[in-house]
């Protein structure tokens, strides 16, 4: 029996890395030869969390087969285009996720644990409890970071009624103050000044197949939307280049104000009518304000899906 | 908030009905307005179980929208072509299943609990335990019937290591002897003499999309394979008619000997080379023996999937 690789999605964020590292640890405690790997290097926010809790970033892999693995466990994603390059050549034996299901299939029955909660880390927390395994301090810290990151410190509408209690328990195990640590973690991810436009649109970007269109939806966190819009020209150039290089039909960028919980949408591509219809707004100079929107998963992708399918 | 409909797959078997009836009961105990319905009338085996435990068959529905339901819970299946006719027009809020995942997608995050165990009923049993809800005697009887039916009394390779203990506990709650009740249940499903050939090939039949082909895979249980093969001519005529009427590329019928745990495969259609390659056998007069095969899910569909994709 070869090693089972455990990983989150491409462009890993704090929840992808936290859930995969902590779930691989749990599987090993349960006697399974599991290793957490990553489909990319950690972003600045996640690097802050890894450094804070003294955990090394998982090694980056490009192919499961090249690692000698026949079986994989996915955390924080299920859509194949967000997964490892050779996902169709290996067996997915487990999925721990909190997203919609799409472009996912298996030949065999599997263990699949999806819950509509704030983070995949919330589910991994529950699986420790169900299996009676104590959560080590540093694993609690990474799971907490995943939950804080995905819910913008429990403020996003994706926050589940059960998540605050999970966060409180994890903060206690991790030995941090939830609010203080949470704000420090989120702020670590808003340092966009050092990023090129190409890097910026790829910090947290996912592709979605919407009615035959490949739509790229990226998100950046900031404490000042205008600071990002000042770079609109170079960001648009990077978006256009990404569209052409990857065959995207559209590129939708959420510029999210983490302090006031709003987003500016900057969008380019072939289906701007559908993007406008999705949010019932009018793009001016390619962008528009989306009040109260902070969640790609709940406040952007479902609306785009419906509009593209209309 | 309108009522949530809970149902198993088309051509419901004992696991589809047992898991949906018992899960709807659990959801109601948890305060959710849920109703079990069915996508077809119960077969003879399931009718035996319903009568034994004094439970009425759920009403048969054709469309969720027509029932005023916007949300549904699927048990014992996830593939849309095995589900309700308007599955794409409603929101799937939960799935409790033990099959592979295919042709399934949602616009929103959901609760999805899949485990590679012997029956969906085994998972529903666990969900009662996790939620601290006592299992009523008749619900235990239906869940037990689902588990016995799907695992051929725990003999199928789909039986999970945890299933015997689940069966023992359910038998105790239901007040039956596992072996005696189990054999009586299975034998109730082998009375094929009263069935027309059209009925016989539809008792337990599912469609699978294999590399663009619509492949129908049906299974009948018997205590004497030859008794079924004596009706080969009329069964083949029914299979051919079903192929033409429904656009199937192929029709594969498993005739399963529940006493000796073997199957005879009777197959017709456009891809017999792929069917032969799947099982490494040669069809003679359209049929061939498959020693030790009793599970469509583990011993037939994965092999067909691989062969059709080769």
């Amino acid at each position: 029996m070869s090693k089972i690789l455990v990983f989150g999605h491409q462009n890993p964020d704090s929840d992808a890395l936290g859930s995969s590292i902590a779930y691989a640890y749990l599987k090993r405690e349960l006697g399974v030869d599991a290793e957490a790997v990553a489909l990319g290097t950690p972003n600045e926010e996640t690097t802050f969390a890894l450094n804070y809790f003294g955990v090394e970033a998982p090694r980056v892999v490009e192919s499961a087969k090249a690692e000698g693995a026949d079986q994989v466990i996915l955390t924080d994603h299920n859509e194949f285009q967000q997964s490892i390059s050779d996902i169709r050549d290996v067996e997915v034996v487990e999925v721990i996720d909190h997203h919609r299901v799409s472009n996912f299939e298996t030949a065999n029955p599997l263990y699949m644990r999806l819950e509509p909660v704030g983070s995949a880390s919330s589910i991994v927390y529950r699986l420790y409890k169900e299996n009676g395994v104590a959560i080590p301090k540093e694993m609690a810290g990474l799971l907490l970071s995943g939950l804080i990151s995905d819910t913008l410190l429990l403020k996003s509408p994706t926050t589940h009624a059960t998540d605050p209690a999970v966060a409180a328990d994890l903060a206690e195990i991790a030995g941090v103050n939830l609010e203080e640590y949470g704000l420090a973690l989120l702020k670590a991810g808003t340092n966009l000044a050092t990023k090129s436009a190409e890097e910026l649109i790829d910090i947290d970007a996912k592709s979605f197949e919407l009615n035959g269109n490949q739509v790229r939806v990226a998100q950046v966190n900031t404490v000042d939307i205008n600071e990002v819009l000042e770079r609109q020209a170079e960001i648009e150039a990077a978006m256009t280049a990404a569209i052409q290089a990857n065959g995207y039909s559209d590129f939708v960028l959420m510029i999210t104000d983490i302090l006031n919980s709003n987003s500016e949408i900057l969008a380019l591509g072939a289906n701007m009518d559908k993007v406008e219809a999705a949010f019932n707004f009018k793009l001016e100079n390619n962008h528009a304000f989306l009040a109260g929107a902070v969640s790609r998963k709940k406040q952007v992708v479902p609306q785009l899906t419906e509009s593209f399918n209309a």
Side-chain angles (χ1 to χ4, degrees), chain A:
Chain A
M1 191 80 161
S2 63
K3 183 171 284 195
I4 298 179
L5 298 184
V6 184
F7 47 83
H9 52 76
Q10 296 169 13
N11 295 309
D13 57 17
S14 297
D15 192 35
L17 279 174
S19 61
S20 57
I21 293 171
Y23 193 59
Y25 179 92
L26 172 60
K27 295 301 286 187
R28 288 195 298 274
E29 288 291 298
L30 298 172
V32 176
D33 187 13
E35 181 193 359
V37 294
L39 306 186
T41 52
N43 60 35
E44 289 191 37
E45 180 199 282
T46 310
T47 300
F48 175 90
L50 290 167
N51 290 342
Y52 194 100
F53 292 103
V55 177
E56 262 188 63
R59 64 198 178 90
V60 175
V61 302
E62 306 261 324
S63 147
K65 285 285 190 188
E67 301 293 323
D70 298 318
Q71 298 188 314
V72 300
I73 293 175
L74 313 184
T75 74
D76 197 32
H77 75 297
N78 66 80
E79 305 194 35
F80 281 178
Q81 78 279 8
Q82 298 168 3
S83 197
I84 202 161
S85 60
D86 57 348
I87 186 69
R88 289 184 184 276
D89 303 326
V90 294
E91 184 182 8
V92 180
V93 291
E94 297 193 26
V95 180
I96 313 295
D97 191 18
H98 66 130
H99 293 90
R100 70 163 191 169
V101 176
S102 185
N103 194 22
F104 175 82
E105 61 175 353
T106 64
N108 293 301
L110 74 163
Y111 181 82
M112 199 159 174
R113 181 71 173 262
L114 270 63
E115 300 182 23
V117 295
S119 67
S121 294
S122 311
I123 307 169
V124 174
Y125 166 85
R126 231 178 322 282
L127 290 169
Y128 271 85
K129 298 284 169 188
E130 287 176 15
N131 285 285
V133 174
I135 310 178
K137 178 178 177 172
E138 69 275 16
M139 294 298 155
L142 296 186
L143 290 174
L144 178 64
S145 303
L147 176 51
I148 290 169
S149 174
D150 264 30
T151 61
L152 291 181
L153 233 178
L154 307 174
K155 284 195 201 130
S156 162
T158 57
T159 309
H160 189 260
T162 57
D163 282 328
V166 173
D169 193 28
L170 286 172
E172 190 175 329
I173 301 170
V176 297
N177 176 286
L178 175 60
E179 289 296 322
E180 279 175 26
Y181 174 77
L183 214 54
L185 175 75
L186 291 178
K187 280 196 175 156
T190 64
N191 178 19
L192 303 174
T194 62
K195 301 250 182 255
S196 71
E198 289 72 25
E199 290 169 337
L200 187 148
I201 62 164
D202 205 42
I203 291 172
D204 178 10
K206 294 183 183 174
S207 299
F208 298 88
E209 190 181 320
L210 303 182
N211 203 7
N213 299 278
Q214 292 297 325
V215 181
R216 188 76 165 173
V217 186
Q219 183 171 26
V220 293
N221 290 340
T222 180
V223 291
D224 183 356
I225 287 175
N226 283 325
E227 205 177 276
V228 181
L229 282 180
E230 279 168 15
R231 300 174 62 185
Q232 184 178 351
E234 55 163 328
I235 292 172
E236 286 192 1
M239 287 164 64
T240 302
I243 286 172
Q244 288 168 351
N246 302 288
Y248 304 138
S249 61
D250 304 271
F251 200 119
V252 177
L253 175 66
M254 298 175 67
I255 304 164
T256 300
D257 177 345
I258 61 166
L259 299 181
N260 300 302
S261 300
N262 298 308
S263 289
E264 189 78 17
I265 301 290
L266 176 61
L268 294 175
N271 302 288
M272 289 305 103
D273 54 331
K274 295 197 169 63
V275 172
E276 290 186 330
F279 305 112
N280 196 24
F281 64 24
K282 190 112 193 80
L283 293 166
E284 294 191 22
N285 187 21
N286 302 326
H287 62 91
F289 186 67
L290 208 56
V294 297
S295 167
R296 171 171 50 197
K297 185 166 56 172
K298 275 219 165 171
Q299 298 171 301
V300 173
V301 173
Q303 290 75 4
L304 287 173
T305 302
E306 193 178 339
S307 178
F308 273 73
N309 286 326

